[in-house]
Amino acid sequence: MSGGGLLAGPDGALRCPWGLSTEDYVAYHDTEWGKPVHGDDALYERLCLEAFQSGLSWLTILRRREGFRKAFGDFRIAAVAEFGPADAERLLADEGIIRNRAKIEATLANAKVLAGWEPGELDALIWSHAPKRKARAPRTTGDVPAVTPESTALAKALKKAGIRFVGPTTAYALMQACGLVNDHLAGCVSREA
């Protein structure tokens, strides 16, 4: 993110600058990013997509999200936990997703770990790392951190539990996307929506 402040969209509403860079981002910014997400499968999906995004633009992932959902059984943990070596090879050939062996293997391994958890356990673990106090609204994108003590703790907790391919930056992106933190800029139409 650059150090930019709010921009007016075609509808006149003020938005975070990244949220106006493409039509795909406008919809994602306005309806999804920063909204609370609950449920183990829904959070598993976000965790996987954030891992696939590592080193890439989120737009790349967003534009392939339906392909990812189709390839990974709608990110139902129980279904993906049953994937085997033939599925891994199928995924490596799937042009609808990012074909990165390490990320695919982590996605499959993480499902196997999570399949052994109690229902709601992933949700509870992730949400237990939401900041305890409400942070001040950032004024510019330069005020938005890439890592926080909470994201570092979340990454450590997930790794300790056997979850792969998640570091503090990926954990913070997950926290932003799933509404654990609200990093919409002060005055953004989506901040209080």
PDB file of all heavy atoms in Angstrom, residues 118-147:
ATOM      1  N   GLU A 118     -12.141 -30.125  16.642  1.00  0.00           N
ATOM      2  CA  GLU A 118     -13.559 -30.048  16.987  1.00  0.00           C
ATOM      3  C   GLU A 118     -14.221 -28.951  16.154  1.00  0.00           C
ATOM      4  O   GLU A 118     -13.575 -27.951  15.822  1.00  0.00           O
ATOM      5  CB  GLU A 118     -13.728 -29.719  18.472  1.00  0.00           C
ATOM      6  CG  GLU A 118     -13.263 -30.818  19.400  1.00  0.00           C
ATOM      7  CD  GLU A 118     -14.072 -32.093  19.259  1.00  0.00           C
ATOM      8  OE1 GLU A 118     -15.308 -31.998  19.110  1.00  0.00           O
ATOM      9  OE2 GLU A 118     -13.471 -33.180  19.282  1.00  0.00           O
ATOM     10  N   PRO A 119     -15.507 -29.104  15.821  1.00  0.00           N
ATOM     11  CA  PRO A 119     -16.206 -28.026  15.113  1.00  0.00           C
ATOM     12  C   PRO A 119     -16.104 -26.710  15.890  1.00  0.00           C
ATOM     13  O   PRO A 119     -16.272 -26.687  17.108  1.00  0.00           O
ATOM     14  CB  PRO A 119     -17.655 -28.514  15.045  1.00  0.00           C
ATOM     15  CG  PRO A 119     -17.542 -30.008  15.122  1.00  0.00           C
ATOM     16  CD  PRO A 119     -16.368 -30.267  16.042  1.00  0.00           C
ATOM     17  N   GLY A 120     -15.772 -25.644  15.173  1.00  0.00           N
ATOM     18  CA  GLY A 120     -15.651 -24.331  15.779  1.00  0.00           C
ATOM     19  C   GLY A 120     -14.277 -24.025  16.354  1.00  0.00           C
ATOM     20  O   GLY A 120     -14.009 -22.896  16.765  1.00  0.00           O
ATOM     21  N   GLU A 121     -13.398 -25.005  16.364  1.00  0.00           N
ATOM     22  CA  GLU A 121     -12.086 -24.797  16.979  1.00  0.00           C
ATOM     23  C   GLU A 121     -11.213 -23.834  16.173  1.00  0.00           C
ATOM     24  O   GLU A 121     -10.516 -22.984  16.749  1.00  0.00           O
ATOM     25  CB  GLU A 121     -11.381 -26.150  17.149  1.00  0.00           C
ATOM     26  CG  GLU A 121     -10.186 -26.103  18.065  1.00  0.00           C
ATOM     27  CD  GLU A 121      -9.615 -27.478  18.380  1.00  0.00           C
ATOM     28  OE1 GLU A 121     -10.255 -28.502  18.072  1.00  0.00           O
ATOM     29  OE2 GLU A 121      -8.501 -27.510  18.936  1.00  0.00           O
ATOM     30  N   LEU A 122     -11.238 -23.924  14.845  1.00  0.00           N
ATOM     31  CA  LEU A 122     -10.462 -22.988  14.030  1.00  0.00           C
ATOM     32  C   LEU A 122     -11.014 -21.576  14.203  1.00  0.00           C
ATOM     33  O   LEU A 122     -10.252 -20.620  14.384  1.00  0.00           O
ATOM     34  CB  LEU A 122     -10.477 -23.391  12.550  1.00  0.00           C
ATOM     35  CG  LEU A 122      -9.735 -22.435  11.603  1.00  0.00           C
ATOM     36  CD1 LEU A 122      -8.254 -22.335  11.955  1.00  0.00           C
ATOM     37  CD2 LEU A 122      -9.920 -22.878  10.145  1.00  0.00           C
ATOM     38  N   ASP A 123     -12.321 -21.438  14.149  1.00  0.00           N
ATOM     39  CA  ASP A 123     -12.969 -20.142  14.342  1.00  0.00           C
ATOM     40  C   ASP A 123     -12.542 -19.547  15.687  1.00  0.00           C
ATOM     41  O   ASP A 123     -12.132 -18.379  15.761  1.00  0.00           O
ATOM     42  CB  ASP A 123     -14.486 -20.315  14.271  1.00  0.00           C
ATOM     43  CG  ASP A 123     -15.247 -19.014  14.230  1.00  0.00           C
ATOM     44  OD1 ASP A 123     -15.137 -18.226  15.194  1.00  0.00           O
ATOM     45  OD2 ASP A 123     -15.968 -18.783  13.249  1.00  0.00           O
ATOM     46  N   ALA A 124     -12.617 -20.342  16.734  1.00  0.00           N
ATOM     47  CA  ALA A 124     -12.277 -19.860  18.072  1.00  0.00           C
ATOM     48  C   ALA A 124     -10.807 -19.461  18.159  1.00  0.00           C
ATOM     49  O   ALA A 124     -10.475 -18.419  18.747  1.00  0.00           O
ATOM     50  CB  ALA A 124     -12.604 -20.928  19.115  1.00  0.00           C
ATOM     51  N   LEU A 125      -9.922 -20.250  17.570  1.00  0.00           N
ATOM     52  CA  LEU A 125      -8.494 -19.938  17.619  1.00  0.00           C
ATOM     53  C   LEU A 125      -8.212 -18.621  16.895  1.00  0.00           C
ATOM     54  O   LEU A 125      -7.538 -17.736  17.434  1.00  0.00           O
ATOM     55  CB  LEU A 125      -7.672 -21.068  16.985  1.00  0.00           C
ATOM     56  CG  LEU A 125      -6.173 -20.770  16.852  1.00  0.00           C
ATOM     57  CD1 LEU A 125      -5.514 -20.677  18.212  1.00  0.00           C
ATOM     58  CD2 LEU A 125      -5.489 -21.808  16.000  1.00  0.00           C
ATOM     59  N   ILE A 126      -8.730 -18.485  15.694  1.00  0.00           N
ATOM     60  CA  ILE A 126      -8.464 -17.261  14.934  1.00  0.00           C
ATOM     61  C   ILE A 126      -9.050 -16.046  15.656  1.00  0.00           C
ATOM     62  O   ILE A 126      -8.349 -15.049  15.884  1.00  0.00           O
ATOM     63  CB  ILE A 126      -9.002 -17.389  13.497  1.00  0.00           C
ATOM     64  CG1 ILE A 126      -8.123 -18.386  12.715  1.00  0.00           C
ATOM     65  CG2 ILE A 126      -9.038 -16.018  12.801  1.00  0.00           C
ATOM     66  CD1 ILE A 126      -8.616 -18.717  11.321  1.00  0.00           C
ATOM     67  N   TRP A 127     -10.301 -16.120  16.041  1.00  0.00           N
ATOM     68  CA  TRP A 127     -10.952 -14.958  16.657  1.00  0.00           C
ATOM     69  C   TRP A 127     -10.410 -14.641  18.043  1.00  0.00           C
ATOM     70  O   TRP A 127     -10.554 -13.512  18.526  1.00  0.00           O
ATOM     71  CB  TRP A 127     -12.472 -15.128  16.652  1.00  0.00           C
ATOM     72  CG  TRP A 127     -13.015 -14.729  15.313  1.00  0.00           C
ATOM     73  CD1 TRP A 127     -13.206 -15.522  14.224  1.00  0.00           C
ATOM     74  CD2 TRP A 127     -13.356 -13.400  14.906  1.00  0.00           C
ATOM     75  NE1 TRP A 127     -13.666 -14.779  13.160  1.00  0.00           N
ATOM     76  CE2 TRP A 127     -13.767 -13.476  13.558  1.00  0.00           C
ATOM     77  CE3 TRP A 127     -13.365 -12.169  15.542  1.00  0.00           C
ATOM     78  CZ2 TRP A 127     -14.168 -12.352  12.842  1.00  0.00           C
ATOM     79  CZ3 TRP A 127     -13.778 -11.054  14.839  1.00  0.00           C
ATOM     80  CH2 TRP A 127     -14.172 -11.150  13.504  1.00  0.00           C
ATOM     81  N   SER A 128      -9.749 -15.594  18.694  1.00  0.00           N
ATOM     82  CA  SER A 128      -9.145 -15.297  19.997  1.00  0.00           C
ATOM     83  C   SER A 128      -7.969 -14.330  19.853  1.00  0.00           C
ATOM     84  O   SER A 128      -7.510 -13.762  20.847  1.00  0.00           O
ATOM     85  CB  SER A 128      -8.686 -16.586  20.690  1.00  0.00           C
ATOM     86  OG  SER A 128      -7.519 -17.118  20.077  1.00  0.00           O
ATOM     87  N   HIS A 129      -7.518 -14.118  18.622  1.00  0.00           N
ATOM     88  CA  HIS A 129      -6.393 -13.217  18.384  1.00  0.00           C
ATOM     89  C   HIS A 129      -6.831 -11.840  17.883  1.00  0.00           C
ATOM     90  O   HIS A 129      -5.991 -11.011  17.526  1.00  0.00           O
ATOM     91  CB  HIS A 129      -5.401 -13.863  17.418  1.00  0.00           C
ATOM     92  CG  HIS A 129      -4.657 -14.991  18.055  1.00  0.00           C
ATOM     93  ND1 HIS A 129      -5.180 -16.264  18.156  1.00  0.00           N
ATOM     94  CD2 HIS A 129      -3.468 -15.027  18.675  1.00  0.00           C
ATOM     95  CE1 HIS A 129      -4.326 -17.032  18.787  1.00  0.00           C
ATOM     96  NE2 HIS A 129      -3.283 -16.316  19.126  1.00  0.00           N
ATOM     97  N   ALA A 130      -8.128 -11.600  17.874  1.00  0.00           N
ATOM     98  CA  ALA A 130      -8.606 -10.254  17.529  1.00  0.00           C
ATOM     99  C   ALA A 130      -8.107  -9.287  18.608  1.00  0.00           C
ATOM    100  O   ALA A 130      -8.089  -9.637  19.791  1.00  0.00           O
ATOM    101  CB  ALA A 130     -10.127 -10.224  17.453  1.00  0.00           C
ATOM    102  N   PRO A 131      -7.673  -8.105  18.202  1.00  0.00           N
ATOM    103  CA  PRO A 131      -7.201  -7.141  19.209  1.00  0.00           C
ATOM    104  C   PRO A 131      -8.274  -6.881  20.262  1.00  0.00           C
ATOM    105  O   PRO A 131      -9.463  -6.803  19.953  1.00  0.00           O
ATOM    106  CB  PRO A 131      -6.926  -5.871  18.387  1.00  0.00           C
ATOM    107  CG  PRO A 131      -6.680  -6.377  16.997  1.00  0.00           C
ATOM    108  CD  PRO A 131      -7.560  -7.581  16.841  1.00  0.00           C
ATOM    109  N   LYS A 132      -7.844  -6.757  21.505  1.00  0.00           N
ATOM    110  CA  LYS A 132      -8.776  -6.563  22.618  1.00  0.00           C
ATOM    111  C   LYS A 132      -9.344  -5.150  22.647  1.00  0.00           C
ATOM    112  O   LYS A 132     -10.428  -4.920  23.141  1.00  0.00           O
ATOM    113  CB  LYS A 132      -8.095  -6.867  23.956  1.00  0.00           C
ATOM    114  CG  LYS A 132      -7.537  -8.277  24.044  1.00  0.00           C
ATOM    115  CD  LYS A 132      -8.604  -9.340  23.856  1.00  0.00           C
ATOM    116  CE  LYS A 132      -8.015 -10.721  23.964  1.00  0.00           C
ATOM    117  NZ  LYS A 132      -8.457 -11.641  22.945  1.00  0.00           N
ATOM    118  N   ARG A 133      -8.594  -4.204  22.134  1.00  0.00           N
ATOM    119  CA  ARG A 133      -9.114  -2.836  22.111  1.00  0.00           C
ATOM    120  C   ARG A 133      -9.203  -2.343  20.676  1.00  0.00           C
ATOM    121  O   ARG A 133      -8.415  -2.740  19.815  1.00  0.00           O
ATOM    122  CB  ARG A 133      -8.298  -1.882  22.964  1.00  0.00           C
ATOM    123  CG  ARG A 133      -6.851  -2.039  22.856  1.00  0.00           C
ATOM    124  CD  ARG A 133      -6.057  -1.142  23.787  1.00  0.00           C
ATOM    125  NE  ARG A 133      -4.740  -1.115  23.165  1.00  0.00           N
ATOM    126  CZ  ARG A 133      -4.061  -0.051  22.901  1.00  0.00           C
ATOM    127  NH1 ARG A 133      -4.495   1.119  23.250  1.00  0.00           N
ATOM    128  NH2 ARG A 133      -2.905  -0.128  22.302  1.00  0.00           N
ATOM    129  N   LYS A 134     -10.164  -1.493  20.451  1.00  0.00           N
ATOM    130  CA  LYS A 134     -10.410  -0.962  19.118  1.00  0.00           C
ATOM    131  C   LYS A 134      -9.313   0.032  18.749  1.00  0.00           C
ATOM    132  O   LYS A 134      -9.040   0.967  19.517  1.00  0.00           O
ATOM    133  CB  LYS A 134     -11.787  -0.284  19.095  1.00  0.00           C
ATOM    134  CG  LYS A 134     -12.276   0.070  17.736  1.00  0.00           C
ATOM    135  CD  LYS A 134     -13.704   0.592  17.804  1.00  0.00           C
ATOM    136  CE  LYS A 134     -14.198   0.955  16.430  1.00  0.00           C
ATOM    137  NZ  LYS A 134     -15.566   1.442  16.453  1.00  0.00           N
ATOM    138  N   ALA A 135      -8.696  -0.172  17.626  1.00  0.00           N
ATOM    139  CA  ALA A 135      -7.628   0.718  17.170  1.00  0.00           C
ATOM    140  C   ALA A 135      -8.227   1.959  16.521  1.00  0.00           C
ATOM    141  O   ALA A 135      -9.357   1.936  16.022  1.00  0.00           O
ATOM    142  CB  ALA A 135      -6.732  -0.012  16.167  1.00  0.00           C
ATOM    143  N   ARG A 136      -7.465   3.010  16.538  1.00  0.00           N
ATOM    144  CA  ARG A 136      -7.870   4.232  15.838  1.00  0.00           C
ATOM    145  C   ARG A 136      -7.895   3.970  14.348  1.00  0.00           C
ATOM    146  O   ARG A 136      -7.058   3.239  13.825  1.00  0.00           O
ATOM    147  CB  ARG A 136      -6.856   5.331  16.127  1.00  0.00           C
ATOM    148  CG  ARG A 136      -7.461   6.517  16.799  1.00  0.00           C
ATOM    149  CD  ARG A 136      -6.414   7.464  17.216  1.00  0.00           C
ATOM    150  NE  ARG A 136      -6.242   8.440  16.150  1.00  0.00           N
ATOM    151  CZ  ARG A 136      -5.412   9.435  16.230  1.00  0.00           C
ATOM    152  NH1 ARG A 136      -4.652   9.581  17.275  1.00  0.00           N
ATOM    153  NH2 ARG A 136      -5.314  10.298  15.247  1.00  0.00           N
ATOM    154  N   ALA A 137      -8.839   4.556  13.672  1.00  0.00           N
ATOM    155  CA  ALA A 137      -8.951   4.374  12.226  1.00  0.00           C
ATOM    156  C   ALA A 137      -7.727   4.965  11.530  1.00  0.00           C
ATOM    157  O   ALA A 137      -7.339   6.096  11.828  1.00  0.00           O
ATOM    158  CB  ALA A 137     -10.216   5.046  11.710  1.00  0.00           C
ATOM    159  N   PRO A 138      -7.121   4.203  10.619  1.00  0.00           N
ATOM    160  CA  PRO A 138      -5.994   4.771   9.883  1.00  0.00           C
ATOM    161  C   PRO A 138      -6.465   5.914   8.984  1.00  0.00           C
ATOM    162  O   PRO A 138      -7.579   5.882   8.464  1.00  0.00           O
ATOM    163  CB  PRO A 138      -5.473   3.586   9.057  1.00  0.00           C
ATOM    164  CG  PRO A 138      -6.587   2.598   9.023  1.00  0.00           C
ATOM    165  CD  PRO A 138      -7.436   2.839  10.219  1.00  0.00           C
ATOM    166  N   ARG A 139      -5.629   6.923   8.829  1.00  0.00           N
ATOM    167  CA  ARG A 139      -5.980   8.081   7.993  1.00  0.00           C
ATOM    168  C   ARG A 139      -5.490   7.897   6.561  1.00  0.00           C
ATOM    169  O   ARG A 139      -6.092   8.422   5.627  1.00  0.00           O
ATOM    170  CB  ARG A 139      -5.381   9.352   8.574  1.00  0.00           C
ATOM    171  CG  ARG A 139      -5.906   9.644   9.950  1.00  0.00           C
ATOM    172  CD  ARG A 139      -6.730  10.910   9.946  1.00  0.00           C
ATOM    173  NE  ARG A 139      -7.390  11.085  11.220  1.00  0.00           N
ATOM    174  CZ  ARG A 139      -8.696  11.096  11.363  1.00  0.00           C
ATOM    175  NH1 ARG A 139      -9.482  10.942  10.339  1.00  0.00           N
ATOM    176  NH2 ARG A 139      -9.235  11.268  12.548  1.00  0.00           N
ATOM    177  N   THR A 140      -4.387   7.188   6.398  1.00  0.00           N
ATOM    178  CA  THR A 140      -3.835   6.905   5.066  1.00  0.00           C
ATOM    179  C   THR A 140      -3.439   5.443   5.015  1.00  0.00           C
ATOM    180  O   THR A 140      -3.304   4.791   6.060  1.00  0.00           O
ATOM    181  CB  THR A 140      -2.582   7.764   4.757  1.00  0.00           C
ATOM    182  OG1 THR A 140      -1.500   7.310   5.584  1.00  0.00           O
ATOM    183  CG2 THR A 140      -2.832   9.247   4.993  1.00  0.00           C
ATOM    184  N   THR A 141      -3.221   4.934   3.822  1.00  0.00           N
ATOM    185  CA  THR A 141      -2.784   3.541   3.702  1.00  0.00           C
ATOM    186  C   THR A 141      -1.408   3.346   4.326  1.00  0.00           C
ATOM    187  O   THR A 141      -1.078   2.239   4.753  1.00  0.00           O
ATOM    188  CB  THR A 141      -2.772   3.086   2.237  1.00  0.00           C
ATOM    189  OG1 THR A 141      -1.979   3.985   1.464  1.00  0.00           O
ATOM    190  CG2 THR A 141      -4.178   3.021   1.669  1.00  0.00           C
ATOM    191  N   GLY A 142      -0.634   4.423   4.430  1.00  0.00           N
ATOM    192  CA  GLY A 142       0.666   4.339   5.092  1.00  0.00           C
ATOM    193  C   GLY A 142       0.560   4.073   6.582  1.00  0.00           C
ATOM    194  O   GLY A 142       1.522   3.639   7.212  1.00  0.00           O
ATOM    195  N   ASP A 143      -0.619   4.326   7.153  1.00  0.00           N
ATOM    196  CA  ASP A 143      -0.852   4.076   8.587  1.00  0.00           C
ATOM    197  C   ASP A 143      -1.239   2.624   8.876  1.00  0.00           C
ATOM    198  O   ASP A 143      -1.372   2.250  10.042  1.00  0.00           O
ATOM    199  CB  ASP A 143      -1.987   4.975   9.104  1.00  0.00           C
ATOM    200  CG  ASP A 143      -1.657   6.452   9.043  1.00  0.00           C
ATOM    201  OD1 ASP A 143      -0.461   6.807   9.056  1.00  0.00           O
ATOM    202  OD2 ASP A 143      -2.611   7.262   8.972  1.00  0.00           O
ATOM    203  N   VAL A 144      -1.454   1.843   7.841  1.00  0.00           N
ATOM    204  CA  VAL A 144      -1.910   0.459   8.015  1.00  0.00           C
ATOM    205  C   VAL A 144      -0.681  -0.448   8.137  1.00  0.00           C
ATOM    206  O   VAL A 144       0.158  -0.491   7.236  1.00  0.00           O
ATOM    207  CB  VAL A 144      -2.797   0.022   6.830  1.00  0.00           C
ATOM    208  CG1 VAL A 144      -3.207  -1.438   6.982  1.00  0.00           C
ATOM    209  CG2 VAL A 144      -4.018   0.917   6.712  1.00  0.00           C
ATOM    210  N   PRO A 145      -0.579  -1.196   9.239  1.00  0.00           N
ATOM    211  CA  PRO A 145       0.588  -2.065   9.410  1.00  0.00           C
ATOM    212  C   PRO A 145       0.506  -3.318   8.534  1.00  0.00           C
ATOM    213  O   PRO A 145      -0.569  -3.678   8.046  1.00  0.00           O
ATOM    214  CB  PRO A 145       0.519  -2.453  10.893  1.00  0.00           C
ATOM    215  CG  PRO A 145      -0.940  -2.415  11.214  1.00  0.00           C
ATOM    216  CD  PRO A 145      -1.500  -1.288  10.373  1.00  0.00           C
ATOM    217  N   ALA A 146       1.648  -3.956   8.353  1.00  0.00           N
ATOM    218  CA  ALA A 146       1.685  -5.242   7.647  1.00  0.00           C
ATOM    219  C   ALA A 146       1.698  -6.393   8.644  1.00  0.00           C
ATOM    220  O   ALA A 146       1.309  -7.514   8.312  1.00  0.00           O
ATOM    221  CB  ALA A 146       2.916  -5.318   6.756  1.00  0.00           C
ATOM    222  N   VAL A 147       2.148  -6.108   9.866  1.00  0.00           N
ATOM    223  CA  VAL A 147       2.283  -7.104  10.929  1.00  0.00           C
ATOM    224  C   VAL A 147       1.942  -6.418  12.242  1.00  0.00           C
ATOM    225  O   VAL A 147       2.246  -5.240  12.428  1.00  0.00           O
ATOM    226  CB  VAL A 147       3.731  -7.654  10.977  1.00  0.00           C
ATOM    227  CG1 VAL A 147       3.950  -8.555  12.170  1.00  0.00           C
ATOM    228  CG2 VAL A 147       4.093  -8.380   9.701  1.00  0.00           C
TER     229      VAL A 147
END
